[in-house]
Amino acid sequence: ADRSRIDLGRLRTMRGITRLELEQVQAVAGDVFQRRDWLVYDSSGLTSAQIATRIRRHRKANHTRMVVVDYVQLVREPGMKDMKDSVGRSINTLAQVARDEGVAMVVLSQLSRDVEKRPDKIPMLSDLRETGELEQVAESVVFVVQPSRYQDPNDTHPKAIEAREKWAGKGVAIVAKHKNSATGQALLAWDAPTATYRDLARRRDW
């Protein structure tokens, strides 16, 4: 959807897709398929040790510079019954292999439900679900938020209307932790049809 600029919902159902759009999708898919500088393991229930083994196996041949784990609560650790301990082991193993192999490790995580209970819905480090270890080990922690998601479209109060206009088509990246630099926020462009965040400075008209 991102590369072809075709609505993600329409791509999922393939309803109303024209021949021209289908050709666009095929061209994009062909381009992605031809890439040889990335690997995707679409396997659930991997352990952190198995992930580490795959990184070591492919790093030199693939010139691996970054690894993305989506998401840490799905990593399984044998013998660990408690989710907190399981996540802790996963995080430490992933951090160690990142140091040993010299790769950047991007680890996605769920948040606790506490963020939904707050009026502003702004996540904090304490919202990292079962991942106190992640907060300690991570070099940086970034939350991505869509303020418009929590706004009432039927609220006619001037401030509510102003807020909707302010955040329409935008998101925000909150750098809640950064060991080697400052924390803060950065605006993002949110393209709802393709479910894609982009640099606001290079935002396009869709």
Side-chain angles (χ1 to χ4, degrees):
D2 177 31
R3 295 295 186 90
S4 66
R5 295 292 192 267
I6 296 175
D7 186 286
L8 181 60
R10 294 173 62 219
L11 277 181
R12 284 175 172 162
T13 62
M14 294 304 290
R15 293 178 181 175
I17 297 292
T18 66
R19 180 178 294 277
L20 178 59
E21 289 174 329
L22 184 59
E23 290 175 354
Q24 287 178 253
V25 173
Q26 290 174 331
V28 168
D31 178 57
V32 172
F33 181 76
Q34 291 298 320
R35 295 191 63 168
R36 293 292 182 263
D37 57 349
W38 64 348
L39 294 172
V40 178
Y41 278 98
D42 190 19
S43 305
S44 60
L46 290 176
T47 67
S48 57
Q50 289 173 323
I51 295 173
T53 297
R54 284 161 169 77
I55 294 170
R56 294 187 177 103
R57 182 189 304 158
H58 297 290
R59 184 187 62 78
K60 287 187 179 180
N62 207 48
H63 304 290
T64 305
R65 293 184 295 174
M66 182 175 73
V67 177
V68 180
V69 178
D70 183 16
Y71 53 93
V72 69
Q73 283 82 8
L74 290 180
V75 179
R76 294 292 174 253
E77 302 296 349
M80 292 287 178
K81 296 182 179 180
D82 182 81
M83 177 61 76
K84 183 177 181 181
D85 292 339
S86 178
V87 169
R89 174 182 287 184
S90 299
I91 290 300
N92 281 289
T93 300
L94 295 173
Q96 187 62 51
V97 74
R99 287 191 291 268
D100 293 344
E101 299 300 322
V103 298
M105 186 72 67
V106 180
V107 180
L108 279 66
S109 172
Q110 285 186 327
L111 298 180
S112 71
R113 295 293 182 184
D114 291 341
V115 66
E116 300 290 340
K117 300 175 184 178
R118 292 195 292 273
D120 60 7
K121 305 295 189 296
I122 300 299
M124 302 184 297
L125 288 173
S126 59
D127 294 321
L128 289 171
R129 187 175 177 184
E130 291 122 1
T131 51
E133 195 77 15
L134 176 56
E135 179 185 344
Q136 296 178 25
V137 173
E139 292 287 329
S140 60
V141 177
V142 181
F143 298 113
V144 181
V145 184
Q146 287 181 49
S148 60
R149 180 181 176 185
Y150 303 104
Q151 295 170 343
D152 182 359
N154 299 316
D155 191 339
T156 58
H157 191 281
K159 288 188 176 180
I161 296 174
E162 182 181 352
R164 286 199 298 271
E165 292 175 349
K166 174 183 177 181
W167 291 109
K170 294 176 187 164
V172 59
I174 302 172
V175 182
K177 177 186 177 181
H178 199 318
K179 282 187 177 180
N180 301 313
S181 187
T183 58
Q185 300 183 5
L187 286 177
L188 302 171
W190 168 243
D191 179 22
T194 61
T196 305
Y197 285 105
R198 296 190 179 90
D199 186 340
L200 191 64
R202 293 183 294 159
R203 180 175 177 173
R204 307 177 185 183
D205 293 321
W206 298 290

